[in-house]
Amino acid sequence: MQRIVTIQDISCVGKCSLTVALPIISAMGVETAIIPTAVLSTHTMFQNYTFHDLTDEIAPIARHWQQEQIDFAAIYTGYLGPKRQVQLISDFFDQFKSEDNFIFVDPVMADNGKLYPLFDLDFAAQMAKLCAKADIIVPNLTEACFLTGTEYREHYDEQYIETLLDKLAALGTKRAVVLTGVALEPGKTGVAGRDLVSGEKIRYVHDRIPVSYHGTGDIFSSTTVGALALGKSLQEALEIAADYTVACIRETMEHDAEKKYGVNFERVLPQLIRRLGL
């Protein structure tokens, strides 16, 4: 069985980060180790949530794993907290990267043209350095702009996307750069990327559902990592992840009017498993 490690926060209630990554990747038949970077009582869509920083646990966990000679088919990072965590995760990459595994960075820090409240431009610069050590990165358009110092646009064309991909590639990422939430035609959205080894374009377009739920990016990234660990190509993995995320949103819209908790990904797991042929 393949083993991956995912490094991100955990919300005790609310479907995002580790409470999404752990069950989805495990259901895909991939052992999922975790390093929780913080514990929250709920995700941040709730009011008055509690937050406990676990930055000081990262290095001791890594040392113990090295002593036990534990290795991973993939290292996957999502939402990180204090800036000091970025350097610790960079050190973790150096400790556990091998010729046979890959590093997947989802640089969660911004959306809709703005950084999330706890982040600043210095954090974005540190995240860009982390992306340089990755094999695959999957920023949304806003995150890509902050990573590369590019002006954010709500309306854009193919040339704008290609320029962003050029700038992301220049960060130093090794295998592929992928933009999420790319909408180049009405009623559609999808991913646009570039295979940095072959130079080939990566594209996938699907219907845009006009609703927003917390944690859907985590579902997409987690499913992509799981599919890659199972040997799927990046193009296949992205398509599987996009289709699963859309199916989760549709399921939630149909059966659950409460948007605060996230999407009902659990009910759609059988569909994902059938798609993978497990």
Side-chain angles (χ1 to χ4, degrees):
M1 179 181 284
Q2 296 278 43
R3 178 195 300 121
I4 69 100
V5 57
T6 180
I7 307 170
Q8 47 191 312
D9 68 280
I10 185 164
S11 297
C12 298
V13 171
K15 303 175 187 182
C16 66
S17 301
L18 283 180
T19 49
V20 164
L22 179 57
I24 288 177
I25 299 173
S26 296
M28 296 173 77
V30 178
E31 181 184 345
T32 311
I34 64 169
I35 295 183
T37 57
V39 177
L40 291 79
S41 57
T42 67
H43 66 55
T44 56
M45 290 292 288
F46 290 80
Q47 298 296 316
N48 304 315
Y49 59 86
T50 66
F51 177 92
H52 182 67
D53 184 4
L54 294 176
T55 301
D56 290 339
E57 299 301 317
I58 296 173
I61 290 171
R63 286 195 297 270
H64 183 219
W65 286 354
Q66 281 190 303
Q67 293 168 5
E68 296 296 328
Q69 299 182 329
I70 297 171
D71 55 18
F72 304 100
I75 304 167
Y76 158 38
T77 69
Y79 185 97
L80 303 177
K83 280 179 277 191
R84 188 162 69 93
Q85 286 189 359
V86 180
Q87 182 57 55
L88 290 169
I89 301 310
S90 178
D91 295 341
F92 186 92
F93 288 175
D94 294 338
Q95 292 168 296
F96 289 91
K97 181 71 176 84
S98 71
E99 293 182 0
D100 300 321
N101 66 11
F102 65 90
I103 295 173
F104 185 102
V105 172
D106 183 356
V108 182
M109 61 179 176
D111 205 359
N112 298 314
K114 297 179 181 180
L115 287 163
Y116 293 147
L118 296 179
F119 299 137
D120 57 19
L121 292 177
D122 185 50
F123 182 90
Q126 295 301 313
M127 183 60 75
K129 293 179 181 178
L130 197 67
C131 288
K133 289 190 171 184
D135 293 290
I136 302 167
I137 60 173
V138 290
N140 61 33
L141 287 174
T142 301
E143 290 157 351
C145 289
F146 279 110
L147 288 170
T148 62
T150 302
E151 179 185 1
Y152 174 77
R153 298 181 189 173
E154 290 188 3
H155 305 287
Y156 47 85
D157 56 15
E158 179 74 27
Q159 184 55 52
Y160 178 78
I161 297 301
E162 288 299 323
T163 298
L164 262 182
L165 291 172
D166 286 338
K167 291 181 177 181
L168 288 172
L171 295 176
T173 304
K174 309 300 187 297
R175 178 175 165 187
V177 292
V178 179
L179 282 167
T180 64
V182 176
L184 290 170
E185 54 183 297
K188 300 289 183 179
T189 189
V191 298
R194 187 175 302 155
D195 185 314
L196 300 178
V197 178
S198 68
E200 294 180 355
K201 288 184 177 182
I202 298 168
R203 295 289 190 275
Y204 189 60
V205 177
H206 54 81
D207 290 340
R208 180 181 182 275
I209 304 175
V211 65
S212 178
Y213 288 99
H214 197 75
T216 52
D218 300 326
I219 290 172
F220 174 83
S221 290
S222 300
T223 308
T224 302
V225 171
L228 289 169
L230 291 173
K232 302 295 184 183
S233 70
L234 181 56
Q235 180 70 45
E236 289 177 307
L238 292 169
E239 292 180 11
I240 290 167
D243 290 345
Y244 176 59
T245 304
V246 170
C248 291
I249 294 171
R250 292 191 189 279
E251 159 66 30
T252 308
M253 289 176 63
E254 183 176 351
H255 294 107
D256 191 351
E258 177 59 75
K259 296 172 61 176
K260 184 163 59 174
Y261 290 90
V263 297
N264 298 336
F265 71 88
E266 301 94 334
R267 290 180 177 174
V268 195
L269 278 171
Q271 178 179 319
L272 174 62
I273 292 168
R274 287 193 296 271
R275 172 86 177 262
L276 293 166
L278 299 176

